[in-house]
Each structure stands twice: as C-alpha cells, then as structure tokens.
Amino acid sequence: MSSTEAQVKEKKRGRAFSHFKSLVMMQLKDKLDLSFLTSTKQLIAKVVFFVLRIAAIIVAAYYIFYYSAFFSIFAIIAWVPPIVMALAFSIIFILSVLSCMVGLMKTLFFADDNRVLVTMPVTGNMVFFSKLVVYYLFELMRSYTFTFPLFIAYGMVSHLSVGMYFWMAFVLIFVSALPVAIGALLAIPAMFVYQFLKKYEPVKVTLFVLVVGAVIALIVELIMLIPENINFINDWPLKYRPSVISFIESAKTYILPLYAITEMLIGTYENLTFTLKPSNALVFLYVLVTIAVVLGIVYLIAKPLFLKMTAQPFEFEKKEFIKAKENRKRRKYKSILRKEFLLNLRSSISYSFLAVYIAVPILILLLNKIYAAMSTNILGNYMIYAFNLLIILLILLSSNGIVSTMYSMEGRAGYMKKTKPLDMTFPLLCKIFYNSLFSLISIIVSIGIFGAFNSSSIGVGGLIMLALTVLFFHIGHMVWSAERDIMNPQNEQYATTGGEINNPNSNFMTVMAFLVSFAVAFFSFILFNESGVNPITACLKLMIIAMAFAAMRIYLFIIKVRLYYREKM
Amino acid sequence: MRKSVVLTICVIYILSIVLVGYLGIKLAIFDPILYVQSIELIDDPYSDSYKISHPPRYPDQDFVVKEYSKGLKFRLYCKVMPENATNKEVEFIVNMPDNAVGKLQITSDGEVSVLSDDFDILYAKVYILSKDGQKARSRDFTVQINNFKNPT
C-alpha cells in the first residue's frame, strides 16, 4: 500500500471518528442540560454540588456500614461480610439493567430522532453504536457517582488498601458496560412485548391492574408480618440475626456471578484482609468476554431491527381505524364533567395522583404497624395521632402541587374556557372534581386503617371527624392550588416549551402544603394534649377549623374567578 | 411530585417514628445484667480458614490445625451464650511451654498470628475466658501449626 493511500485511509478514519463524536455529543446535549458550561459561576456551583453529593453518599454509606459492623447486624463479630456488599451491588446492577433495557428499547426502536439521525452523513452502524455509547456514558456516570462511593465507604470500613480504590475505579470503566450490553439484548424481546401491549389495550390495562394489585398485596402482606412488641436491641442476636445471616448466605447462590464481580472489585477475603487474587483477574477477563459476546449478539440481532424500524416510512404508516361517534347533545354540566373524565383517563398526570392515593393508606398502615409494636405512654399516643395527620396531609397536600399546574398545562387551549356558556366557576372546579372523589376514597381507607389501631381511644365518632378534617383541609388546599394557577397562569410557557417547567405556582403550593400540614399536626397535638382522656372534643375543634379553612378557600376561589373572568372578558 | 419533596416526606416519615420511639415510650425497668454462661469454640462460619478436628489419638480433644505460611493470620470464632449477654467480650488465654520454639499470639478478637517461623510443629493450649467478671471459661483446645518446610 502506498503512503498516499495509507494517509487517505487514516484521514477517513479520523473523519469517521469525528462524525461519531459529534453524533454522541448531539444526543448528550439533547438529554443533558449543559447550559452551566457557559457561565463560570454556574460551573463552580455545579462542581461544588457534585463533590458535596458524592461526599454525602460516602459519609452516609460509611456510617451505615460502620454501625452495621458495630452492632454486629450481619455477623456474629463486628464485621460486614462481603456478601452484604454483593447484595447491594446486585440490586444496583439489576436496576441499571432494567433502566437500560427500557431506555434502549425506546431510543433504539421508537425514538423519533432516529429518522433524523440516519439522514446525516454517517453510517447506520454509527447511529446504532452512538445510541449505545450515550447509554454507556450515563451508566458510567451513575457508577462513579453512586456505586463507586458505596464501594469506597465499604472499603473504608473494611480497611482496604489504597491501591484497591484505584483498581476499583479502573475496573468500573468496564463493569459499567455490562448492564448496557445486557439491557440492549433484553431490549429486543421487550420491544415485542411493548408492541403487543400497545396493540391490545385491554391486555395492557388488565396487566397494569394485576401488577399494581399484586404489588399492593405483597407490600401489605410484608407490613402485616411486622411482629408486635418489637425490641430489636434485645431480640436481634437471638431472633433476627440468624435468619438474616442464613438469608444472605442462601442469596449468595443466586447471585454468584455478581458476587464474583464484587469480589473482583474489592478483592478476596483471606488472612483477615482483602487481597487481589488470580481468580479475581480471571473474573475480570470473563466480564470483558461477556461484554464482547453480548454486544456481538446485539449487533447481529438488534442492529438490523433498528435499521428496519428507522427506515419505515412514517408518512404511510397504517393508522388504526378510529370509529367515529355520533355527536350527541348533552346537558352542559354533564358534558363538562364527561370531558374532564376523558381527559383524566388520557393524561399521564392521573397515574401520579393514583400513585399518591394508593401510597397514603399503605404508608399509614406501615406507620401504625410500627407504632403498634411500641409500648407508648399517653404523650406517645397524642404524638401518634398528630403524626398520622401530618403524614396523610403532607402527601395529599403536596400532590396538589400538580393541581396548580393543571390549568396552565392546557396551553393555548386553555383560553377556550371563555367560550363556554356558563358561570366559569363550574368548569374550573370540574377539573378537580375527580381528584377530590378519588382522594376521598384514599382518606376514608387511611383513616380506617388509623382507626383499626387507635379506635379504642378515639372512637368511631372521632374517626369520622378526623376523616372530615383531612378531607376539608385537602379540598381547601386543592381549591387554593387551582386558584393560584388560574390567577397566575403559565399557559404561554407550557404552550412554547411543551414540557416540564419550573412552575412558581407549584413551588408556592408545595411550600404551603408543608406549612399547613405542620400547623395542623402541631395544633392537633396541643388540642389532644389539652383534651386529656377524651380526644373527641379535640377532633371536633379540628374539624371546625378544617371546615372554616375549606369554606374560606372555596369562597375566595369563587369571588376571585368571577372577578378575573369578568375583567378579562 | 418532585424528588426533593418525596425525599423530604420520607425523612419526616422516619423522624415521626424515631420521635415517638424516643419521647413517647413507656418507662420500663431495664433488664438486669446478663452474665456469660458458656463459651464454645466454633468452625469459621465465613470461610474454610479452619475446622475443629479431633485427632484419632485424642478423640475427645478439640484441635485447630493449620499449615504455616509466611504472614499466616486467621481468626478463631466462638459462640458466647446467652446471645443477649450484657458484656460478650472474651479473651483468649494461650499456654505454651516456656521452652517452646516459635511463638503464637491471639488477640481478644481471636486473631491468631505466628510470631516466628523456626519450628516444625507449634502447639499451643488455648481457652477462652469471659471478661464480664464471672470468668466463664470454654473447654481447652489446641492450636497446631505445622511448618514442615522449615529447613531446620
């Protein structure tokens, strides 16, 4: 080969690398907010925050490991066996694989930008691998900002030599590629499952309900396992530690490859120290071979699929046939309620509310099960009442932060409200009608659970009053959130950016949620304390205050909305 | 809900449990001191660094036999009963003949180290003693270190 030909080849290779780098950078800029690079001040703040975050993880993990060793939680001597670290690493690894699988499935097979990327002066291979590299870089970042600090903390407690930290840092560069490779491989079957579920909506809904139901049942079952009169300090060595040790030892058989990787990172425990052995180097070799083999399979199977799906002309895509429905005339109030119901069904925000309304009773069950295991005095009982109110209100009221964005989220379509031939208060309140309805169920269940543990001291009447207290505070705060969004609309921002914005209304209402919840909890504690053995008067007072709060917020909402829309009309 | 809000609620949730546990618990009389009743040497539960053996010549005696290598270190484990004893600290008492070649050291953690290598076989009679003042004692056992590679 002549030197000119070699130079041309070298030049081509250099240009290809430059194109590949640009491709990766372009996608990274799309996913990351790199605006801080333009300002030195922001850059310094970002670096300081980054260092502090890592330091905080190291300190927190160090103390967890230190006290686990100190109290002999996982061993009969003051030690944290490496299997504990292997279990932690396994959880992180499995979560990484799942996150890579879902992310890569979307980005490889369903991302709209694929069609744009393939029009660039690069090969299909480059686009395909650039996607994997972007995920690898994210995974690498996650490894160095979370996994590595965790290993550092374990190393500090286990007195690892300084050289081991450098070894860990080096090996993590390669280990981080493993979840990406496995995730990419699993993305192929996941893509078929996703397509199937997308095609058959009833199956998707049934599966969703079954999974949510199973998860709830499992959590409740686990919570109910919490024994009464727990005394961890006295009972740990005899009752709990043997079970924990046998569990982690049996878990070792299921996570053997991940245990081997953990050993490769921290060394093998022998002669009371962790040292690197030839077997650890062999595991490192296995990791490299596995990555290469899995990436090879991904290249052979996923790349053709990726190119096929990207090349599909979207202009001629078959749209599913949507059955036309007759335009029926409905009563104006019913029509608005129906519209809001349909919007709620289609909106992803509904899932957030659903999660909150399911989480509240479960968290209250766990809280009260733990309280039931404690032998509390009368002050403790009042604290339990106050903390129950605090937790229920905190979660419900904080979720109203979303309510304070719902009107603005309509963007420019929001202005259509003015065309409706009725008093504006009704359509505006309809938007929060279904939230109020579902939160009512959540409140009834939560207070019911609270009552199951405390009914002997509060009584059914007191429980009903407490449920009404929570409901009135929730509705009052929800209406306040709606009013805040209507009076200070962010429609234009949502119309132009389309995505999430830093909504000042949401921030304000979240702060208010915390203030109201703490004020109610503090005041309820004082009232229960004053009322002595008969807390019914405290419940009554609380209910009256809540009613007054809700009435005031609804009144203010109505007069402000009427004034606002009259002026703007 | 934002991540920071969820995190704050989690912290408050945990604090609510801790606070009730700290301020709202009924006063209880503390358990009296529980002294160590028995101490027993056990096999290494974490690795196979040693196993208790019973040589045919001394079937009723416990032996811990190890091959010597440079820098040999291992930890002896014991079971202290009752598990909830107030003070479970122990010490390992090593008895070796005055004229013994080679030296063996055991710390209170049970960490065994051999201080010299000019021996063929090193025997040490060991027992474990509780440090809670009641002086509960384990049965004697022998730590045997073989150093057949010793040129002498």
Side-chain angles (χ1 to χ4, degrees):
Chain A
M1 194 192 290
S2 70
S3 65
T4 339
E5 271 179 355
Q7 273 179 352
V8 169
K9 239 180 182 179
E10 187 63 37
K11 222 175 181 180
K12 268 188 180 172
R13 208 173 295 151
R15 211 181 300 149
F17 180 73
S18 158
H19 285 168
F20 185 74
K21 202 177 128 193
S22 309
L23 209 56
V24 171
M25 285 310 290
M26 210 165 69
Q27 292 173 70
L28 275 181
K29 274 182 187 168
D30 225 23
K31 289 184 193 299
L32 292 173
D33 178 19
L34 299 173
S35 58
F36 64 89
L37 289 172
T38 53
S39 151
T40 323
K41 222 175 174 181
Q42 276 186 25
L43 182 68
I44 294 169
K46 197 92 181 168
V47 170
V48 170
F49 182 71
F50 180 76
V51 173
L52 279 178
R53 203 176 68 174
I54 291 179
I57 295 172
I58 295 176
V59 171
Y62 174 80
Y63 278 108
I64 290 171
F65 287 131
Y66 177 79
Y67 282 110
S68 299
F70 186 78
F71 292 114
S72 304
I73 301 286
F74 300 110
I76 53 172
I77 54 160
W79 188 47
V80 180
I83 179 69
V84 176
M85 194 60 224
L87 274 174
F89 177 69
S90 305
I91 294 167
I92 297 169
F93 186 86
I94 291 165
L95 289 177
S96 290
V97 169
L98 288 176
S99 122
C100 285
M101 181 189 81
V102 175
L104 280 168
M105 179 197 72
K106 284 185 180 164
T107 195
L108 284 176
F109 307 118
F110 301 107
D112 289 334
D113 68 343
N114 289 349
R115 287 168 180 140
V116 181
L117 291 174
V118 288
T119 61
M120 291 181 175
V122 287
T123 59
N125 277 350
M126 275 190 185
V127 178
F128 177 74
F129 280 112
S130 72
K131 298 248 163 194
L132 293 183
V133 168
V134 169
Y135 265 81
Y136 168 65
L137 290 176
F138 273 110
E139 197 50 46
L140 198 63
M141 204 159 71
R142 196 183 302 171
S143 293
Y144 280 107
T145 52
F146 189 73
T147 316
F148 190 40
L150 217 61
F151 273 96
I152 292 177
Y154 182 76
M156 284 160 74
V157 173
S158 306
H159 308 293
L160 250 61
S161 62
V162 181
M164 288 302 292
Y165 298 109
F166 290 102
W167 164 252
M168 268 187 233
F170 168 71
V171 170
L172 272 176
I173 298 173
F174 301 94
V175 173
S176 305
L178 204 54
V180 181
I182 298 172
L185 188 68
L186 294 177
I188 304 163
M191 183 262 291
F192 290 115
V193 173
Y194 180 79
Q195 275 187 327
F196 174 80
L197 292 178
K198 215 176 159 191
K199 202 173 173 186
Y200 301 101
E201 200 72 22
V203 180
K204 185 180 157 188
V205 174
T206 316
L207 206 68
F208 176 76
V209 172
L210 283 177
V211 169
V212 170
V215 170
I216 293 171
L218 184 73
I219 295 172
V220 171
E221 194 72 24
L222 285 175
I223 293 172
M224 295 313 282
L225 285 178
I226 297 174
E228 283 184 13
N229 293 325
I230 315 170
N231 191 342
F232 274 122
I233 295 165
N234 276 344
D235 294 343
W236 184 262
L238 278 176
K239 263 192 182 172
Y240 304 114
R241 194 173 58 205
S243 316
V244 170
I245 290 176
S246 74
F247 167 75
I248 54 177
E249 282 302 320
S250 61
K252 193 174 166 180
T253 50
Y254 298 102
I255 56 158
L256 263 183
L258 294 169
Y259 182 77
I261 295 175
T262 311
E263 261 199 344
M264 173 190 80
L265 284 158
I266 56 173
T268 305
Y269 187 71
E270 205 176 85
N271 281 348
L272 307 177
T273 49
F274 286 94
T275 40
L276 272 181
K277 296 266 155 197
S279 59
N280 301 137
L282 201 66
V283 173
F284 182 45
L285 199 71
Y286 283 147
V287 169
L288 293 181
V289 172
T290 311
I291 293 167
V293 170
V294 175
L295 280 180
I297 299 169
V298 168
Y299 180 74
L300 289 175
I301 304 174
K303 201 205 82 177
L305 265 173
F306 162 73
L307 291 176
K308 189 186 156 198
M309 293 193 73
T310 308
Q312 265 178 5
F314 64 92
E315 294 90 341
F316 307 109
E317 258 179 16
K318 269 189 192 172
K319 291 268 187 292
E320 274 176 44
F321 181 70
I322 299 165
K323 201 177 160 189
K325 281 182 186 166
E326 195 186 340
N327 195 9
R328 277 174 59 196
K329 191 181 172 187
R330 290 187 174 86
R331 290 179 64 187
K332 53 190 177 186
Y333 296 106
K334 201 179 159 191
S335 163
I336 289 167
L337 270 174
R338 189 172 176 273
K339 177 205 131 196
E340 289 304 335
F341 179 72
L342 290 175
L343 279 179
N344 269 309
L345 271 187
R346 290 168 192 169
S347 164
S348 59
I349 291 174
S350 307
Y351 290 104
S352 307
F353 282 118
L354 186 70
V356 168
Y357 299 149
I358 291 173
V360 175
I362 293 174
L363 287 171
I364 290 301
L365 175 67
L366 176 64
L367 191 71
N368 284 288
K369 196 77 182 142
I370 294 172
Y371 284 149
M374 298 174 177
S375 178
T376 49
N377 55 24
I378 191 84
L379 183 81
N381 289 346
Y382 298 148
M383 285 170 83
I384 288 173
Y385 305 155
F387 280 131
N388 269 287
L389 279 179
L390 175 69
I391 299 297
I392 298 175
L393 284 174
L394 259 184
I395 304 171
L396 287 178
L397 268 54
S398 298
S399 74
N400 286 339
I402 310 172
V403 173
S404 62
T405 64
M406 275 162 65
Y407 298 90
S408 297
M409 247 182 224
E410 290 180 346
R412 287 182 189 130
Y415 301 118
M416 282 168 65
K417 278 195 288 278
K418 291 178 185 172
T419 61
K420 283 168 190 156
L422 36 77
D423 182 356
M424 280 317 297
T425 323
F426 183 76
L428 292 174
L429 281 177
C430 272
K431 209 160 194 61
I432 52 174
F433 172 74
Y434 293 101
N435 284 345
S436 315
L437 199 68
F438 287 109
S439 63
L440 173 68
I441 300 168
S442 178
I443 290 168
I444 291 171
V445 177
S446 303
I447 294 292
I449 291 167
F450 166 71
F453 289 91
N454 302 284
S455 61
S456 58
S457 46
I458 285 198
V460 180
L463 286 174
I464 293 170
M465 281 187 246
L466 277 185
L468 289 171
T469 304
V470 174
L471 181 71
F472 286 134
F473 272 117
H474 179 50
I475 286 179
H477 188 266
M478 196 188 280
V479 172
W480 189 5
S481 304
E483 174 206 307
R484 180 89 190 168
D485 195 24
I486 294 161
M487 294 293 127
N488 185 22
Q490 307 291 318
N491 296 53
E492 276 308 309
Q493 278 211 63
Y494 280 101
T496 46
T497 60
E500 272 184 30
I501 61 160
N502 190 15
N503 193 319
N505 300 327
S506 173
N507 297 344
F508 177 79
M509 288 321 299
T510 307
V511 173
M512 284 302 123
F514 274 73
L515 286 180
V516 171
S517 307
F518 272 105
V520 173
F522 180 70
F523 198 62
S524 69
F525 177 72
I526 292 174
L527 285 177
F528 282 125
N529 212 6
E530 274 177 1
S531 65
V533 284
N534 184 19
I536 208 93
T537 47
C539 296
L540 184 68
K541 283 177 189 170
L542 278 171
M543 192 186 72
I544 292 168
I545 295 166
M547 275 170 79
F549 175 76
M552 181 190 77
R553 287 314 335 168
I554 292 170
Y555 174 71
L556 284 172
F557 177 86
I558 293 170
I559 59 165
K560 280 188 180 179
V561 162
R562 281 184 181 162
L563 179 69
Y564 181 81
Y565 278 92
R566 192 166 296 157
E567 278 181 355
K568 298 274 165 179
M569 268 198 276
Chain B
M1 270 199 268
R2 285 185 181 188
K3 258 190 249 171
S4 53
V5 175
V6 175
L7 209 69
T8 316
I9 293 174
C10 287
V11 172
I12 294 167
Y13 191 86
I14 294 165
L15 275 178
S16 68
I17 296 167
V18 173
L19 274 174
V20 172
Y22 189 69
L23 299 170
I25 294 287
K26 267 185 198 163
L27 282 177
I29 299 160
F30 285 107
D31 291 339
I33 295 171
L34 275 172
Y35 290 106
V36 173
Q37 299 292 322
S38 67
I39 306 168
E40 186 192 340
L41 180 79
I42 54 167
D43 291 336
D44 183 345
Y46 305 107
S47 63
D48 293 330
S49 72
Y50 74 87
K51 269 201 159 33
I52 301 166
S53 56
H54 307 280
R57 279 179 66 187
Y58 309 103
D60 56 342
Q61 286 189 29
D62 294 341
F63 271 69
V64 172
V65 184
K66 289 283 289 181
E67 295 303 316
Y68 177 76
S69 60
K70 203 169 164 52
L72 172 71
K73 267 186 179 179
F74 62 100
R75 179 172 277 146
L76 292 172
Y77 294 90
C78 63
K79 194 173 173 186
V80 178
M81 294 301 284
E83 282 258 24
N84 55 345
T86 311
N87 181 1
K88 289 171 71 178
E89 280 184 49
V90 293
E91 59 184 327
F92 288 75
I93 310 295
V94 183
N95 283 319
M96 292 179 78
D98 291 339
N99 58 350
V101 190
K103 191 123 184 78
L104 189 113
Q105 195 182 50
I106 308 180
T107 65
S108 55
D109 285 344
E111 193 177 310
V112 182
S113 43
V114 183
L115 301 178
S116 61
D117 62 356
D118 51 347
F119 61 90
D120 293 328
I121 303 178
L122 191 151
Y123 291 105
K125 278 269 174 214
V126 185
Y127 62 88
I128 311 165
L129 210 57
S130 72
K131 284 168 105 176
D132 61 1
Q134 292 300 101
K135 301 274 180 197
R137 183 185 163 156
S138 72
R139 58 184 258 158
D140 289 5
F141 58 94
T142 307
V143 176
Q144 178 185 330
I145 312 287
N146 299 328
N147 186 18
F148 298 125
K149 286 176 193 160
N150 183 15
T152 59

